[in-house]
Amino acid sequence: MSAATSYVAPALALVSGVMLFAALHHVFIGLRRPQERVYLTFAALCVFAAAWAAWGVPLYSATTPDDYLRATRWRQALGLAVGTLLLWFIAEYTRVRPRTFLWTVTGVQLALLVTDLFLPWTLYFSGPPELSFSRMPWGESLTTALGPRGPLFLL
């Protein structure tokens, strides 16, 4: 595939770049207004979301199940962080801070992350996945995986 027909990787890089710019912008605002944690919370959310988007490139271009599982594991971890930080951001933004709920969700997400580190096939799969390569209309090939469902699908 030529570089001219690759759209997914540049699109994910663009999304990551915009999120990193937003993170940097909000870090500077947050440092000038330390009493308002909403800016720093949003900056952290943007950093993790940018990393999540960037890990889409190795995920969709994986050629071996090991590469796919590595990228899946990183995206799961980053996705859990994004979900948790989104809740904390909403709490900071609305000034409604149900601490017990937020810490419970954070603990559950952390437990899922630690569990995923010790599972051989990640939370998504309970066995080795088989890779499937989909051809996009513009000629780009994207990798997806099929395999036995893991514990995450039971939640």
Side-chain angles (χ1 to χ4, degrees):
M1 170 180 45
S2 69
T5 60
S6 178
Y7 295 112
V8 173
L12 290 171
L14 178 68
V15 168
S16 292
V18 169
M19 287 185 214
L20 289 174
F21 175 77
L24 187 63
H25 179 73
H26 283 83
V27 163
F28 286 135
I29 294 172
L31 292 177
R32 292 185 65 186
R33 299 179 184 173
Q35 70 278 9
E36 296 183 35
R37 295 181 303 199
V38 68
Y39 295 106
L40 295 177
T41 307
F42 186 72
L45 174 63
C46 287
V47 167
F48 280 94
W52 180 87
W55 269 97
V57 175
L59 180 74
Y60 297 130
S61 63
T63 56
T64 66
D66 286 339
D67 290 343
Y68 192 87
L69 288 171
R70 184 179 310 107
T72 299
R73 198 175 302 276
W74 273 101
R75 282 198 89 185
Q76 283 176 181
L78 293 165
L80 290 170
V82 167
T84 303
L85 283 169
L86 181 61
L87 290 176
W88 283 93
F89 168 71
I90 291 169
E92 289 296 327
Y93 185 80
T94 61
R95 294 184 182 4
V96 176
R97 298 177 184 101
R99 297 283 185 204
T100 305
F101 172 75
L102 291 171
W103 283 112
T104 301
V105 169
T106 302
V108 169
Q109 300 283 44
L110 190 59
L112 286 171
L113 174 66
V114 170
T115 302
D116 186 55
L117 293 176
F118 293 103
L119 292 175
W121 309 110
T122 74
L123 288 168
Y124 286 136
F125 302 108
S126 63
E130 294 180 26
L131 297 185
S132 171
F133 302 96
S134 303
R135 178 93 34 214
M136 297 293 106
W138 53 88
E140 187 171 10
S141 178
L142 298 180
T143 306
T144 56
L146 302 170
R149 290 183 176 178
L152 184 65
F153 285 95
L154 300 175
L155 297 177

